[in-house]
Amino acid sequence: HLYNSERSASLESFEKALAALRHAVEIAPSDGRLWTGLARVCTVNYSMELLPEAQIPIEEAIAYAEKGVRLSTVDQRAWCMLSYAHTIAGNLQSGREAVLTALAQNPDSLFFRDVVGYLLTLQGDWERGPAIARDAVRINPFVREAVFCALWVDAFRQETFDDAYAWALRFMNPTNFWSPLMAAVSLACLGEQKKAEHAVGHLLQLRPDFSENGHRLIRHYVKFEDLACRIEDALKLAGMDLSRIPENQKIT
């Protein structure tokens, strides 16, 4: 169910994966892979707010990830998952330590270079993160699409908006609101107003609640306030103003 949810990217498959993993850790509590998988879906659910009724505190997802690491200490996936959960929680130093542990276990691993580059970039390692991400794209024709988000945010940070738009186009997840969001932001900065507004329309189709919750959803992943504000400013150019959110709904 977990692998199927990653392939299909549908809400139904995600819900099945979450239920299956919760059941599985009760049956086989000593299997680290299951705790790592449960940590993954719980962290995704927290950060993307897919199933609010099933959401748990991010600290609980970190505890699942830590259990996965304890039970599978040489599993790169487990260390990457622990890094991901810490990063979403804003514990950037702990996240960096975990992902560098994963990298040190197998520095030449083709399979996890995209994840390592993605996580280091989210954590603000603007030198190593994007470099590893680009290397992953260069040598692996089947990279995880999240790597394009890392390269997009780095290009946007550097105000190379043509590159940002090119990376946004390569993130082709039809159910993930980040796809039209990245396109809208890039197009707005390029002065392509109508195309940017069209991308915002697509964004609202995927997340009708984005006008109310976008401020928080962006910051689940973008942990640097100046960068998050620049994204919001570009969305405003594209026709979506998130600045009118009541102060009690904002996070800092």
Side-chain angles (χ1 to χ4, degrees), residues 75-77 80 109-117 132 144:
D75 184 351
Q76 278 189 301
R77 183 189 299 271
C80 286
S109 171
L110 176 69
F111 190 60
F112 285 101
R113 288 193 80 73
D114 50 2
V115 177
V116 170
I132 293 173
R144 296 169 180 83

Side-chain angles (χ1 to χ4, degrees), residues 229-247:
C229 287
R230 285 171 54 195
I231 291 172
E232 288 190 355
D233 289 343
L235 283 173
K236 186 174 182 179
L237 289 175
M240 176 175 285
D241 187 356
L242 301 181
S243 65
R244 299 177 183 175
I245 302 172
E247 288 298 321

Side-chain angles (χ1 to χ4, degrees), residues 31-33 36 67-76 78-79:
D31 190 332
R33 297 170 303 170
T36 293
K67 189 172 292 189
V69 164
R70 287 196 302 270
L71 293 169
S72 305
T73 56
V74 296
D75 184 351
Q76 278 189 301
W79 284 102

